[in-house]
Amino acid sequence: MVVVGAGAAGVRSAVALRERGYAGRVTLVGGETHRPYDRPPLSKAVLRGRGRPEEVVFDVDFAGLDIEVETGVTALGLRPGPRHLVTSRGVLAYERLVVATGADAVRLPGGEGAYVLRTLDDARRLREVLDARRDVVVIGAGWIGAEFTTAAREAGCRVTVVEAGGAPLAGALPAAVGAPMSGWYARAGAELRTGVRVTGAGAGGVTLSDGSRVRADAVVVGVGARPATGWLAGSGIALGARGEVLADAFLRASVPGVYAVGDCVSFPSARFGGRLAVHHWDNALQGAGAVAAHIAGDGAVAPYDPVPYFWSEQFGHVVQYAGQHGAGDTVVRRGVPDGAGGWSVCWLREGRMTAVLTVDRPRDLVQGRRLITAGTPVDPALAADAGVALKAAVRTAAGARS
Ligand code: FAD
C-alpha cells in the first residue's frame, strides 16, 4: 500500500488503514521535507504568532503504527501495468495506491516575486513580512485572503485587498451573501477594493484594470489552488479540466488499484447532483476514511457522498459552511448582519436545504448540517426566523409547523 502526499488526506488514509486492521506494508511518500503537518493552523496560528511551531505537525505515532514515512520524496509518475510508482528516490511497487497530492496555490503570470500561502515554508516567509510590518497588497478576498489580512492587520501592516468580484468570497458565495463581510475589512483597518482586476504584479506593487496602481512592499496572491496532479500526465489516469483526478463514487481513479482523495480529486454526488471537487479539510479526512474502508473492508461500503463542511476564522468571526448550494436555490436569511448573535444564510431547493452559511452561529451550522444530511423538508418562513431553532424549522406533511 503506497500513499502519495503527506497532507491531511494522505496521513489520514494511512492511519485509517491501520485502524481498520490492514496488516500489509504501508508507505507514505511526501514531497515536502517537513514532518507531515496540517494546513489550517498556518493562517490561524503560525501567521498570527500563536501556538508553538511544532503544533502544526500531525500528532501521529507513525512508527508505532508501522507506517513508513518517506519525506522529501516526490512522485514523478506511474507505470500502471506493473503497478510501479516512479519517485525522485527510485521506483516503489504497489498493490494499491492512494493519490493524495492535494493542490498548489495558483500564481499570477509575471508575479514571480509574489507570496502565496499554501505550505509551512510559505507561512514562515509571510511571517517575516508581517514581523517587518511591510505594506502589503493582497490579491483576492477569498478564504485565504481574509485570514491573511486578519493576521497582517493584527501585526500592524498596511493592507490593501484587491478583489475582482463584487464582494468578499466571490468565488464561493453570491455577492449579496458576501456583501456584509466588506465591513469586516474596513473595521479591521484594511482597504478593500472590489470589482477591479490586477493587470500587472511585480516588485513595488500592482497595477489595476481601472488604471490605478497600488504600491506595496509585498504582494500576496490568494486566488485559489489547483490540483497537484501534473505528475500523473501520461499515467492513464483520467483528469478533469482543472487537473483533478476523476474518481468514481468509491474514490477509485480510472486505473485499477489507484484511489484519490482530498483536494486533488472530484467524485460524483448523488446527493447534490454532478461532480464535487471539495478543497476543505473535512473532505480530506472523510474521504480518507472512505478509501480505507473500501480497501480494508469487504467491499460492502456505501458510496462516498458527504455533506461538505468548511470553517474559517477571520476578523474575529467564525464563518462556517455546510452543503453545496446551486445558482437556482432560494436564499433564506436568518438574523441581521452585524447584529448581536450572528447571522446565517440557508439555501433551499424543492423545499429542502442544500447549504447553510453561518457567521458566529455554530448551532445553526450543526442543526442545518443535520437537516441537509437527512433531506428534511424545511419551512422557509420558520428558517428565516432567527428566534426559532433551525432544527425546528421543519415542514410537516400536513403543512403545519412542527
Ligand atoms: P494537501 O494538504 O495539499 O497535502 C498534499 C501533500 O502532497 C502536500 O504536502 C504536497 O507537498 C504533497 N505533494 C504534492 N505533489 C506531490 C508529489 N508529486 N509527490 C509527493 N508529494 C506531493 N480547510 C478548512 O476546511 N478549514 C480551514 O480553516 C482551512 N484553512 C486553511 C488554511 C490554509 C493556509 C490552507 C493552505 C488551507 C486551508 N484549508 C482549510 C484547506 C485544507 O487545508 C485542505 O483542504 C487540506 O489540506 C487538503 O488536504 P490534502 O491532503 O488533500 O492536500
Side-chain angles (χ1 to χ4, degrees):
M1 182 78 219
V2 175
V3 181
V4 189
V11 168
R12 186 65 207 142
S13 296
V15 172
L17 276 165
R18 285 289 185 243
E19 286 173 353
R20 288 189 166 267
Y22 184 83
R25 190 172 168 191
V26 177
T27 306
L28 178 63
V29 175
E32 296 180 65
T33 51
H34 304 290
R35 279 178 60 205
Y37 66 89
D38 209 4
R39 289 179 210 283
L42 297 181
S43 48
K44 295 162 191 71
V46 175
L47 276 189
R48 299 169 79 182
R50 296 181 179 178
R52 294 191 308 281
E54 62 272 22
E55 282 175 14
V56 301
V57 168
F58 288 111
D59 184 16
V60 173
D61 178 6
F62 292 106
L65 290 168
D66 194 19
I67 296 169
E68 292 170 43
V69 183
E70 299 201 14
T71 51
V73 178
T74 305
L76 302 174
L78 289 189
R79 293 184 200 144
R83 299 199 179 192
H84 284 169
L85 172 74
V86 183
T87 78
S88 55
R89 203 179 284 165
V91 173
L92 274 173
Y94 64 85
E95 194 181 317
R96 308 282 179 91
L97 179 81
V98 178
V99 176
T101 44
D104 292 323
V106 172
R107 293 172 184 272
L108 293 184
E112 284 75 24
Y115 295 82
V116 293
L117 176 54
R118 181 75 199 180
T119 66
L120 182 55
D121 291 339
D122 293 336
R124 287 180 174 156
R125 277 190 287 270
L126 281 166
R127 184 66 225 172
E128 286 173 17
V129 171
L130 303 194
D131 286 343
R133 294 198 188 170
R134 315 269 301 272
D135 290 354
V136 188
V137 62
V138 181
I139 304 175
W143 303 110
I144 294 289
E147 293 197 356
F148 173 79
T149 301
T150 301
R153 285 301 302 144
E154 277 179 5
C157 298
R158 195 170 69 89
V159 184
T160 307
V161 183
V162 180
E163 165 59 49
L169 302 178
L173 302 174
V177 173
M181 297 168 182
S182 297
W184 299 353
Y185 286 76
R187 277 193 285 284
E191 184 186 354
L192 172 65
R193 298 180 62 175
T194 55
V196 62
R197 291 185 170 276
V198 171
T199 53
V206 296
T207 44
L208 304 178
S209 50
D210 62 5
S212 63
R213 182 165 172 76
V214 181
R215 197 203 62 74
D217 304 314
V219 177
V220 180
V221 182
V223 297
R226 291 285 176 275
T229 54
W231 65 280
L232 289 172
S235 67
I237 290 184
L239 303 178
R242 297 186 149 212
E244 74 280 10
V245 176
L246 294 173
D248 70 5
F250 299 99
L251 298 179
R252 288 178 299 196
S254 59
V255 162
V258 181
Y259 293 74
V261 63
D263 282 10
C264 67
V265 67
S266 75
F267 53 88
S269 170
R271 189 192 297 277
F272 295 105
R275 298 187 73 81
L276 296 186
V278 184
H279 284 207
H280 301 334
W281 187 85
D282 187 62
N283 172 62
L285 267 60
Q286 304 298 335
V291 165
H294 200 267
I295 292 173
D298 55 8
V301 293
Y304 180 60
D305 198 359
V307 173
Y309 165 70
F310 174 81
W311 85 98
S312 170
E313 294 162 30
Q314 45 182 283
F315 305 108
H317 298 283
V318 176
V319 183
Q320 294 169 289
Y321 178 94
Q324 178 80 12
H325 66 268
D329 295 353
T330 304
V331 173
V332 175
R333 295 167 186 280
R334 286 168 62 78
V336 184
D338 296 329
W343 50 281
S344 302
V345 173
C346 305
W347 283 264
L348 303 184
R349 191 185 307 165
E350 295 168 3
R352 289 178 166 76
M353 201 180 289
T354 54
V356 60
L357 170 83
T358 67
V359 175
D360 303 325
R361 281 180 79 94
R363 277 197 192 141
D364 277 5
L365 189 283
V366 172
Q367 295 173 14
R369 193 179 188 184
R370 284 199 193 121
L371 293 175
I372 299 165
T373 305
T376 309
V378 167
D379 181 325
L382 285 175
D385 185 344
V388 174
L390 201 47
K391 67 181 177 187
V394 171
R395 184 162 44 82
T396 62
R401 294 175 174 187
S402 69

